[in-house]
Amino acid sequence: MEIKKSPKANLENKKSLFLEIGLVLSLALVLGLFEWTTHDKEEVMSLTGQTVAIEDEQAPITQDTPPPPPEQIKEPVMTEELQIVENDVKVETDFISTDDSDQKIEIKPYVEAKPVEEEVEVEETIPFAIIEEKPMFQGKDANEFTKWVYSNIEYPEIARENGISGRVTVEFMIDKDGSVKNVKVLRGVDSSLDQAAVRVIQKSPKWSPGKQRGKPAKVKYTFPIIFQLK
């Protein structure tokens, strides 16, 4: 048996109607949602029939506060105005001590200390010819010293055997105390004769020291000794 359907019972004919109804309901739902979010408060009917006020929770808006601008350094401004101040200001020269002992502080002017110059005595050896007061040998002049040298000198035997003779010039110093020092040969002939001349001068007794400006002084004396064979 063949089942026959009625054209009115066929749902395919109402497909476009259902689609339009669904679109209308969806659009109404979307508009309702937009409308609901734009109100801060909206009354919603609860299932019990009571009206409940719902507050729209909005997230707090946070904004970073910008840092304050750096402080600008003001440049000094040069002015050409001259302020004339009368010179009648009294300056206090008294110093106040903050010490509890009430001690007075005496302020003395600074004086630069001068370096002490030490007098260095320069010992000068004066030649025999220009000394003011010449040295004296045994209370007499230089001729007495010449006699003493020739009476005490010894002619070297080796020089006598070899026939050596000549003139030896000796230099020595008569010190402030009259002693003979620094004996040396200025011009020699032979080593044996030179040594004999130095030995005899070193044996000399003390002299009376020479004086320069009334004070004892060192005197340089040059003395020739002649070695002559007989």
Side-chain angles (χ1 to χ4, degrees):
M1 182 176 178
E2 185 180 356
I3 301 175
K4 295 182 179 180
K5 294 182 179 181
S6 173
K8 294 181 179 182
N10 190 3
L11 297 178
E12 291 293 332
N13 297 330
K14 299 179 180 181
K15 182 177 180 180
S16 60
L17 178 63
F18 291 153
L19 182 59
E20 292 178 359
I21 294 172
L23 290 175
V24 170
L25 292 176
S26 300
L27 183 59
L29 181 60
V30 171
L31 293 174
L33 291 175
F34 278 111
E35 185 69 19
W36 180 72
T37 55
T38 55
H39 291 83
D40 292 339
K41 294 183 179 180
E42 191 175 29
E43 294 181 354
V44 180
M45 296 296 295
S46 64
L47 296 177
T48 57
Q50 295 180 355
T51 302
V52 179
I54 299 175
E55 295 183 357
D56 186 12
E57 296 182 359
Q58 297 181 357
I61 300 173
T62 58
Q63 183 178 1
D64 295 336
T65 305
E71 184 179 355
Q72 297 182 354
I73 301 175
K74 296 182 179 181
E75 297 181 356
V77 180
M78 300 296 294
T79 60
E80 297 182 356
E81 296 182 0
L82 300 177
Q83 296 181 357
I84 301 174
V85 181
E86 296 181 359
N87 192 12
D88 57 354
V89 180
K90 182 179 179 181
V91 180
E92 295 182 359
T93 58
D94 296 335
F95 294 91
I96 301 175
S97 175
T98 57
D99 191 3
D100 296 336
S101 60
D102 295 336
Q103 296 180 354
K104 293 183 179 180
I105 301 175
E106 183 180 357
I107 300 177
K108 296 182 179 180
Y110 174 75
V111 179
E112 184 178 359
K114 296 182 179 179
V116 179
E117 297 181 358
E118 296 182 357
E119 294 183 359
V120 180
E121 184 179 356
V122 180
E123 295 184 356
E124 182 182 2
T125 303
I126 304 173
F128 186 87
I130 62 174
I131 188 71
E132 291 179 356
E133 295 184 22
K134 298 184 183 303
M136 302 294 290
F137 182 77
Q138 296 181 349
K140 298 180 181 180
D141 57 9
N143 293 328
E144 187 67 21
F145 178 70
T146 303
K147 295 177 182 178
W148 180 88
V149 169
Y150 282 102
S151 61
N152 289 276
I153 197 169
E154 296 179 1
Y155 205 110
E157 191 65 28
I158 187 170
R160 190 187 298 274
E161 293 176 357
N162 293 323
I164 301 174
S165 62
R167 179 174 179 174
V168 180
T169 305
V170 183
E171 181 186 81
F172 59 94
M173 181 186 68
I174 302 171
D175 206 350
K176 293 180 180 181
D177 60 353
S179 59
V180 175
K181 296 181 178 179
N182 302 334
V183 183
K184 60 182 180 179
V185 177
L186 293 180
R187 185 176 181 181
V189 177
D190 181 73
S191 60
S192 60
L193 297 180
D194 296 344
Q195 293 176 4
V198 171
R199 280 196 299 269
V200 70
I201 298 298
Q202 289 177 342
K203 293 178 182 180
S204 171
K206 282 188 176 183
W207 293 54
S208 298
K211 292 182 180 181
Q212 185 74 10
R213 298 177 183 177
K215 294 182 179 180
K218 296 180 179 180
V219 180
K220 184 185 296 183
Y221 193 20
T222 303
F223 185 77
I225 302 176
I226 300 174
F227 290 90
Q228 185 176 2
L229 291 173
K230 296 180 180 179

